[in-house]
């Protein structure tokens, strides 16, 4: 009794007080209209969101965890990108 | 009488919500279990607000009104007590009802009765969603496979005679004082909505024939008795108990 | 309880075939409480164990809708009706979150559902018992959800990210479930003689099956070792079971109800319980419980009856894409 596959979608919600959409999970739906409605019924029953994004799962391109060192390690040593690297005398005030 | 007007609305919502809740755990996909339960909860919530208001005016409680009135005292549409049938029947019933209820509650928002206006504001948002959800399914069932088409057409044939009752004229006095909305005024817009959605669904709008009637006056189909047997069982079996 | 019926194949052979360096790195990450994410390297056995555990958990939520759903149309007040419907809807939602988490390990939802419907996959034994009275709904919320919470809170710190995050979401929603059940029992215990008797009867029938939910005694468990090592399982079956009994017996006292255990006694700071009938547990897990056949039949029917709907949606989607 095997079933044809229904497309998989990833769901992102921007909460009431939030600034960015956050990934909350995934669901199955035949098309984007049904997916948006399903996302609303599944992920926003407790007033979690003001805005919903759904993305077909296959559209997401993710970095390979095996490349973690190559992709992300070099940035850890370029601390001059962070404001705390720079010394500013207290008299200058907030900068 | 305002109470009767409230009961008509409350009974519609309770019986339809109850019918939808019968699907729990049996829907065609789990996402639809969520959607049907959601719509059921909206409707039961509307019923509770309306019963509470009716009880305030006329005595009793939301539960005495829901659990202790007999069939003859129930004022719901015959449409909402029809059996769920298959998914096509259920979703078409929801479409027909919400295509009426959404504009109905919108027209009720300016009611001179503040409580009713507040209920209307909340209910309108809910029914707008039910309308969208059910309409999308009607389109998908009409414009996809031969089997889906066969089922939705069978549902249309079965349910069409129950749609006229929604637009029976209501109490003139309440309408004049701008407390209530006259449902008859909503018929034209309802037909437009149905025509548009059916066109997208490649379905035909049936010709009008004889319309079922009687629910608003307590003359129900055989189905309401069975619904109430289940719904009211505990309170009837254990009179006076607190749950 | 979601590990109730996991079989363990000897894992030594497989591990030799895998990259020993990768395995060591993986274990180091787990030991330092790092989360393992979907595309990270993981031992095949870890992937398999988790897929089985998460999907069993998901199946349990979905099947669990049935015994409770049985009372929605007969709920004795509008408030109870709405609360029960919302609770059962939540269980459906939990099932969906968990299938989504299980899928990140590489098995599709369709395959997982097929495993359930074909009888190959297991779900928690507790849902194979009937709900003949309204009091059963109270007992399920109070005891079954209470037991589930005991198990689910540690899982929020499970090593596998998607499962841990799904559990955090579930736990947030679960808190009203147990309260709803306890409140039902409290109302019954303060009611008339029929209601009190109904409550005691429900407790009598649900008590032992709930203790069995935590799985076989530690002495009989074969597979806890890797689950503990991989930080999937944080506490043993007996630890959680004892915790549950210690929390629940005082609650029963508040309700004026007596757990059906003549050997129950307070000793060394714990409520020590009597002998559990593990034969019953094995039977029910193997398929010979009161409702096993019914539960599976109901899910199969829903799936089969719904096939034309799913096909219609899929066909419409194809048509739309072609027309675009």
């Amino acid at each position: 009794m095997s079933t044809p596959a229904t497309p998989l979608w990833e769901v992102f919600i921007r909460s009431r007080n939030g600034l960015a959409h956050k990934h909350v999970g995934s669901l199955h739906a035949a098309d984007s209209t049904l997916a948006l409605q399903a996302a609303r019924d599944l992920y926003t029953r407790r007033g979690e969101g003001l805005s919903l994004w759904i993305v077909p799962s296959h559209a997401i391109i993710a970095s390979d965890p095996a490349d973690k060192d190559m992709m992300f390690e070099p940035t850890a040593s370029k601390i001059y990108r962070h404001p705390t690297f720079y010394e500013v005398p207290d008299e200058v005030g907030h900068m | 009488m305002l109470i009767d007007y409230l009961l008509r609305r409350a009974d519609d919502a309770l019986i339809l919500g109850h019918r939808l809740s019968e699907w729990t755990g049996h829907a065609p996909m789990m996402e639809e279990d969520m959607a049907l339960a959601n719509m059921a909860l909206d409707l039961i919530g509307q019923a509770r607000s309306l019963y509470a208001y009716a009880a305030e005016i006329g005595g009793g409680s939301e539960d005495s009104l829901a659990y202790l009135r007999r069939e003859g005292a129930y004022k719901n549409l015959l449409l909402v007590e029809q059996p769920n049938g298959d998914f096509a029947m259920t979703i078409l019933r929801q479409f027909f009802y919400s295509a009426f209820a959404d504009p109905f509650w919108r027209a009720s928002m300016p009611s001179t009765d503040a409580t009713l206006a507040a209920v209307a504001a909340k209910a309108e948002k809910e029914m707008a969603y039910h309308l969208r959800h059910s309409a999308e399914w009607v389109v998908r069932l009409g414009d996809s496979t031969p089997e889906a088409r066969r089922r939705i057409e069978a549902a249309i044939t079965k349910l069409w005679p129950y749609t006229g009752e929604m637009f029976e004229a209501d109490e003139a006095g309440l309408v004049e004082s701008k407390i209530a909305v006259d449902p008859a005024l909503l018929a034209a817009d309802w037909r437009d909505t149905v025509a548009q959605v059916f066109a997208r669904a490649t379905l035909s709008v049936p010709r009008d024939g004889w319309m079922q009637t009687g629910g608003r006056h307590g003359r129900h189909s055989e189905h309401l008795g069975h619904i109430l047997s289940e719904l009211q069982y505990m309170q009837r079996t254990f009179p006076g108990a607190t749950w | 309880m979601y590990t109730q019926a996991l079989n363990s194949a000897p894992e030594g052979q497989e591990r030799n075939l895998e990259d020993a360096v990768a395995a060591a790195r993986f274990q180091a990450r787990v030991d330092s409480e790092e989360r393992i994410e979907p595309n990270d390297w993981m031992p095949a056995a870890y992937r398999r164990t988790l897929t089985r555990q998460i999907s069993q958990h998901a199946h349990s939520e979905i099947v669990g809708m049935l015994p409770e759903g049985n009372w929605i149309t007969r709920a004795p007040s509008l408030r109870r009706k709405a609360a029960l419907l919302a609770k059962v809807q939540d269980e459906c939602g939990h099932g969906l979150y968990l299938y989504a988490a299980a899928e990140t390990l590489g098995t599709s939802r369709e395959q997982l559902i097929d495993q359930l419907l074909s009888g190959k996959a297991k779900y928690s034994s507790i849902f194979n018992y009937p709900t003949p009275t309204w009091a059963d709904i109270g007992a399920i919320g109070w005891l079954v959800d209470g037991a589930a919470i005991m198990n689910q809170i540690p899982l929020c710190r499970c090593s596998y990210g998607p499962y841990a995050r799904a559990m955090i979401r579930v736990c947030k929603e679960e808190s009203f479930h147990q309260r709803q059940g306890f409140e039902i029992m409290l109302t019954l215990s303060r009611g008339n003689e029929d209601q009190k008797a109904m409550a005691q009867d429900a407790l009598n029938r649900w008590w032992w099956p709930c203790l069995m939910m935590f799985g076989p005694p530690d002495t009989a468990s074969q597979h806890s070792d890797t689950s503990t090592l991989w930080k999937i399982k944080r506490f043993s079956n007996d630890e959680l079971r004892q915790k549950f009994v210690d929390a629940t017996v005082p609650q029963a006292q508040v309700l004026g109800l007596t757990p059906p255990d003549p050997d129950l006694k307070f000793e060394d700071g714990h409520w020590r319980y009597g002998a559990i009938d593990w034969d019953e547990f094995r039977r029910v897990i193997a398929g010979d419980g009161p409702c096993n056949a019914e539960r599976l039949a109901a899910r199969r029917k829903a799936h089969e009856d719904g096939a034309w709907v799913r096909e219609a949606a899929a066909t419409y989607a194809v048509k739309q894409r072609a027309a675009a």
Side-chain angles (χ1 to χ4, degrees), chain B residues 25 31 67 143 230 235 243, chain C residues 73 75-76 80 109 299 319:
Chain B
E31 284 82 1
Y67 289 85
D143 188 19
E230 265 191 60
Q235 292 228 7
W243 299 100
Chain C
T73 54
R80 294 292 180 213
R109 194 217 280 192
R299 290 309 301 157
K319 272 191 175 190

Side-chain angles (χ1 to χ4, degrees), chain A residues 38-57:
Chain A
R40 179 260 199 192
D41 286 334
L42 185 54
Y43 288 107
T44 71
R45 290 197 310 288
R46 284 167 167 83
E48 292 93 319
L50 276 183
S51 170
L52 270 175
W53 286 350
I54 43 136
V55 181
S57 300

Side-chain angles (χ1 to χ4, degrees), chain C residues 233-294:
Chain C
K233 195 174 167 61
R234 299 263 181 180
F235 298 103
S236 77
N237 293 354
D238 285 338
E239 270 179 291
L240 287 175
R241 190 177 3 251
Q242 187 61 65
K243 227 169 145 212
F244 172 74
V245 174
D246 288 340
T248 310
V249 171
Q251 291 166 357
Q253 289 169 341
V254 167
L255 294 172
L257 299 175
T258 313
D261 181 358
D263 297 321
L264 193 61
K265 62 177 180 290
F266 195 72
E267 198 177 68
D268 304 325
H270 292 287
W271 281 100
R272 300 299 180 195
Y273 47 89
I276 295 175
D277 181 1
W278 291 111
D279 281 337
E280 177 181 334
F281 173 71
R282 273 186 289 272
R283 250 195 308 111
V284 174
I285 280 280
D288 288 334
C291 299
N292 298 52
E294 253 180 77

Side-chain angles (χ1 to χ4, degrees), chain B residues 18 24-25 28 30-31 34 38 40-41 48 63 67 139-140 143-145 151 230-231 234-235 238 242-243, chain C residues 62 73-78 80-82 88-89 92-93 109 134 187 195 299 308 310 312 315-316 319:
Chain B
H18 179 95
T24 315
M30 291 175 279
E31 284 82 1
M34 303 296 290
N38 209 61
L41 281 165
R48 295 186 66 195
D63 285 340
Y67 289 85
V139 167
R140 278 155 182 75
D143 188 19
S144 57
T145 63
R151 287 172 182 267
E230 265 191 60
L231 198 157
M234 289 296 283
Q235 292 228 7
F238 301 96
T242 303
W243 299 100
Chain C
I62 300 300
T73 54
R74 289 174 297 165
S77 75
L78 294 183
R80 294 292 180 213
K81 195 181 187 77
V88 176
Q89 184 194 38
C92 185
R109 194 217 280 192
W134 170 249
T187 310
Q195 289 174 299
R299 290 309 301 157
W308 71 267
R310 297 190 298 275
T315 302
Y316 180 82
K319 272 191 175 190

